Amino acid sequence: MTAVIGVAAGDALHAASAEGAPGRPHAALKQEYLDAVVAQGAAPLVITPDAAAAAAAVTARIDGLLLVGGADVDPARYGETPLNDSVSPGPARDALELALLASVQTRGLPILSICRGHQLLNVSRGGTLWQDLPAQRPDALRHGQCGPPDADGHEVRVAPGSLLHRIVGAERLAANSFHHQSVRRLGRGLQASAWSADGMVEALEDPAQRFVLGVQWHPEELLARPPHRALFQAFVHEAERRTTG
Ligand SMILES: [Mn+2]
């Protein structure tokens, strides 16, 4: 059966459309995320940031959850205050996505979380983040790459035997990199499954679950490359298993 993938949207305050003047709030989601789901034969269900109170009802109607990139997680969620002006929290999204993660994990549904989603997954388990790598880790690689989104940013090393390794079938992977924050202390029950050369956690997973995976890079921009497309293939395949019980 066709799997229904819940995709949590962000908001764009300055979007213009035929329905309203620029400056009015719009729910927003980069098309590539939806295309990546549809290309695997699944149906995306877009979840808007104001749906936090309905997270359990939404969860009952989906077979997998995709969390995507966007604004920074509010540092208050891990007991800190914003380090500097580069930190731009999106509190409404935090509330929605934390509620979704809680109810989805109760049902044991597959979770693929990307960039901000990867960081939020870590925070949801009590983990912390580097709020601003250029300020806090000037020794780190350049993780905010220039150039097109499908250009190589840096390589990642994949942990042998991890879920990620089984999916991509390689111990080294060229990835893109568009983040100024990064996982710092890992959350409960999570293991790192990929690192950049400077030791930053570029992927994490919960080995006690069938499919709870976060990646710091943007595979939705790299669908022409089999290892990155395979992330969506494996995720949707796992969601399809849920539809047949
Ligand atoms: Mn990176």
Side-chain angles (χ1 to χ4, degrees), residues 143 154 177 179 202:
H143 288 272
H154 57 66
S177 192
H179 56 110
E202 288 275 337

Side-chain angles (χ1 to χ4, degrees), residues 7-224:
V7 189
D11 42 40
L13 290 175
H14 303 292
S17 82
E19 294 178 79
R24 302 191 67 186
H26 287 66
L29 192 58
K30 190 173 66 172
Q31 185 67 36
E32 281 79 358
Y33 294 117
L34 302 173
D35 292 347
V37 167
V38 171
Q40 298 305 322
L45 187 153
V46 175
I47 311 167
T48 55
D50 51 7
V58 171
T59 298
R61 290 163 172 79
I62 62 177
D63 306 303
L65 177 66
L66 178 62
L67 296 183
V68 304
D72 297 332
V73 178
D74 187 344
R77 298 286 185 181
Y78 47 96
E80 297 182 13
T81 54
L83 178 79
N84 59 33
D85 289 345
S86 79
V87 181
S88 57
R93 275 187 80 177
D94 292 351
L96 169 72
E97 294 173 5
L98 289 167
L100 286 171
L101 279 174
S103 59
V104 160
Q105 289 180 89
T106 300
R107 286 191 60 207
L109 298 182
I111 297 166
L112 178 60
S113 55
I114 294 172
C115 195
R116 166 198 154 81
H118 157 85
Q119 296 168 3
L120 188 88
L121 174 60
N122 187 56
V123 170
S124 78
R125 303 286 192 96
T128 64
L129 305 178
W130 294 108
Q131 288 193 39
D132 187 38
L133 290 176
Q136 291 178 296
R137 291 295 305 270
D139 57 311
L141 292 173
R142 181 178 184 143
H143 288 272
Q145 77 182 60
C146 297
D150 60 348
D152 289 345
H154 57 66
E155 194 176 59
V156 301
R157 183 170 54 85
V158 178
S162 61
L163 171 66
L164 179 67
H165 184 237
R166 292 197 294 279
I167 293 170
V168 302
E171 291 188 23
R172 293 193 179 276
L173 203 56
N176 51 13
S177 192
F178 294 94
H179 56 110
H180 81 110
Q181 300 195 328
S182 192
V183 166
R184 187 171 183 173
R185 189 185 70 227
L186 277 170
R188 287 180 299 276
L190 298 174
Q191 287 183 0
S193 52
W195 304 263
S196 43
D198 53 6
M200 292 299 158
V201 174
E202 288 275 337
L204 50 75
E205 58 194 56
D206 181 347
Q209 301 294 323
R210 285 187 56 93
F211 200 112
V212 175
L213 178 62
V215 295
Q216 181 60 75
W217 66 92
H218 283 273
E220 80 283 0
E221 299 286 357
L222 304 170
L223 296 178

